[in-house]
Amino acid sequence: MATTKLITWSTASAWGRSKPPKSRKPLLKHSEDIRQIGSTTLFFALLLFSWLRFSSPFSGGLLSIVIWLALIQLSFMGAVATHNAIHTPLFRSRGLNSLYQIFLSLQYGFPVSVFVPGHNLSHHKYPQQARDIMRTTKVRYRWHFLNGALFFWHIVLTGSDDDKRYFAAQARLNRPIARQRRLEEVAVLSFTAALILLDWRRFIWFALIPTSYAKYCILTLNMLQHDGCDITSKYNFARNFTGSVINYLCFNNGYHTVHHLYPGLHWSALPKKHQELIAPHIAPNLDEPNILTYMWRTFVWPGIRVDWRGKPLILTKEEIEMKDEPWFYEQEETYSKNEEYLAEGMK
């Protein structure tokens, strides 16, 4: 009686037959990033639709107003997606990551590689210290509303020199980020010039205003997330906004403490890790369920600047007199690893 012989792939290979095809890895490292790519795609789709259909946000009735507001929100989502992308690149391919950053630069209205020196290397490494160009103690108006409203301008007007020194050093060392920034710069300038030449009024309504809002809000968020917090504490150095709506729209950017401690952790994992690692230890005042009520209470009524305990904030002499300190501009590290990172002075 004949016996049936099972042929394994190794046996088949020995007989000259082909090996099983290797499974191809997906382009994205995390499937959740489809949401980020979707928001970028929707931004450009609505920009094109608005440009072709309307002369202003008010020329098409309710529809044009709604689409304009959506463009503003989507541009801000592009700013948050930029923040996520410079910590944890979306694609396995360097080329695709470079291309995506160019599209993000158009959505944000500025070369997004500039996030690296100001955010990763300054703010993440030295939060609220002299080498943090975005520390909230730079604004000290008696009326706290002005601290929130003008924080953006104080940071923009004092932080550009560090960016220039960083990219000059990176260009001198022929690092990839210098070339990437130039690509983004050329793309943004070309896109902006083309839109202005086509119709400068439409450019203001449908491109300049949304991207300006994105820049203003992503930087002002720093005021909400760090002002009055305890920079010496592992858990109380940042404020979190845990509402489901804001975190859906902003890719979990509200979970700020765990992001600082694990800057390379993907944004989709932040809510779970916040509950596991931060919530049991953080001061209750630093877990805010609603960002809008926090803003009203903090900047409007009663409008009192408070510390992490909920008491009126009193800045120290050191904080008031603190001057910006230069830092090492030639480094390659971007403080985006998965292991825990404690800033200097934390315990």
Side-chain angles (χ1 to χ4, degrees):
M1 184 176 177
T3 58
T4 303
K5 200 171 191 179
L6 294 177
I7 301 176
T8 64
W9 280 108
S10 58
T11 306
S13 178
W15 288 0
R17 298 183 182 179
S18 60
K19 294 182 179 180
K22 293 182 178 179
S23 58
R24 297 183 64 181
K25 292 183 178 180
L27 294 176
L28 291 172
K29 296 178 183 177
H30 301 272
S31 60
E32 294 87 351
D33 283 325
I34 291 174
R35 274 175 55 194
Q36 292 195 144
I37 296 172
S39 70
T40 300
T41 304
L42 184 58
F43 170 82
F44 286 107
L46 290 183
L47 175 61
L48 178 62
F49 181 82
S50 301
W51 193 279
L52 296 176
R53 287 287 302 272
F54 312 118
S55 59
S56 80
F58 312 105
S59 63
L62 182 61
L63 177 62
S64 58
I65 294 174
V66 170
I67 290 178
W68 182 59
L69 293 176
L71 270 176
I72 291 173
Q73 171 60 24
L74 286 166
S75 188
F76 174 65
M77 291 173 73
V80 180
T82 293
H83 165 268
N84 294 341
I86 63 169
H87 279 297
T88 53
L90 278 66
F91 297 95
R92 300 181 190 279
S93 162
R94 288 186 179 182
L96 288 177
N97 284 320
S98 174
L99 181 62
Y100 182 58
Q101 283 192 204
I102 290 173
F103 279 105
L104 282 176
S105 297
L106 302 181
Q107 186 180 2
Y108 180 60
F110 202 76
V112 298
S113 290
V114 175
F115 262 69
V116 171
H119 180 78
N120 295 44
L121 303 182
S122 173
H123 173 64
H124 262 270
K125 190 177 181 184
Y126 309 103
Q128 295 291 83
Q129 301 173 44
R131 293 186 176 185
D132 179 5
I133 62 171
M134 295 188 287
R135 62 185 182 276
T136 66
T137 53
K138 285 187 174 184
V139 287
R140 298 182 292 273
Y141 297 100
R142 293 184 64 183
W143 184 19
H144 195 33
F145 176 83
L146 292 180
N147 290 321
L150 300 179
F151 175 76
F152 172 86
W153 296 108
H154 279 262
I155 304 308
V156 167
L157 295 175
T158 60
S160 59
D161 286 344
D162 283 286
D163 292 345
K164 292 175 183 176
R165 293 190 187 102
Y166 171 78
F167 281 105
Q170 298 299 307
R172 186 171 63 252
L173 295 168
N174 198 30
R175 297 259 173 81
I177 193 171
R179 296 191 293 274
Q180 177 65 27
R181 190 230 175 155
R182 286 194 291 269
L183 285 173
E184 295 165 1
E185 206 164 39
V186 168
V188 170
L189 290 175
S190 301
F191 188 64
T192 300
L195 293 183
I196 292 173
L197 289 173
L198 285 171
D199 190 321
W200 65 268
R201 293 180 180 85
R202 282 184 169 89
F203 163 74
I204 291 174
W205 282 117
F206 300 124
L208 182 61
I209 291 178
T211 57
S212 297
Y213 172 84
K215 294 189 227 10
Y216 181 85
C217 287
I218 196 68
L219 196 50
T220 303
L221 260 180
N222 205 61
M223 185 73 188
L224 278 61
Q225 292 169 328
H226 287 283
D227 193 51
C229 296
D230 181 4
I231 63 171
T232 66
S233 168
K234 177 179 177 179
Y235 298 105
N236 297 329
F237 68 90
R239 186 173 288 104
N240 303 277
F241 299 98
T242 59
S244 57
V245 175
I246 187 69
N247 280 295
Y248 182 82
L249 293 175
C250 298
F251 310 114
N252 294 331
N253 194 257
Y255 296 98
H256 203 59
T257 306
V258 71
H259 166 63
H260 262 266
L261 292 178
Y262 300 91
L265 191 63
H266 191 258
W267 61 267
S268 62
L270 296 182
K272 181 180 178 182
K273 290 299 181 182
H274 175 84
Q275 292 302 319
E276 291 178 2
L277 305 174
I278 308 301
H281 309 284
I282 196 170
N285 288 335
L286 296 181
D287 259 0
E288 288 282 348
N290 191 303
I291 192 172
L292 296 179
T293 57
Y294 170 80
M295 291 172 64
W296 175 266
R297 187 175 71 245
T298 303
F299 299 111
V300 182
W301 187 260
I304 299 173
R305 191 174 190 175
V306 298
D307 64 15
W308 60 279
R309 299 182 183 90
K311 298 179 180 179
L313 178 64
I314 300 175
L315 297 178
T316 65
K317 181 181 179 182
E318 180 186 4
E319 289 173 324
I320 293 172
E321 297 178 351
M322 188 179 291
K323 304 295 183 182
D324 286 348
E325 289 183 4
W327 37 271
F328 185 52
Y329 302 108
E330 297 182 354
Q331 63 196 59
E332 288 185 285
E333 173 64 73
T334 61
Y335 295 89
S336 299
K337 296 178 181 178
N338 278 328
E339 61 261 27
E340 182 180 89
Y341 172 74
L342 291 181
E344 186 177 332
M346 278 187 192
K347 55 185 179 180

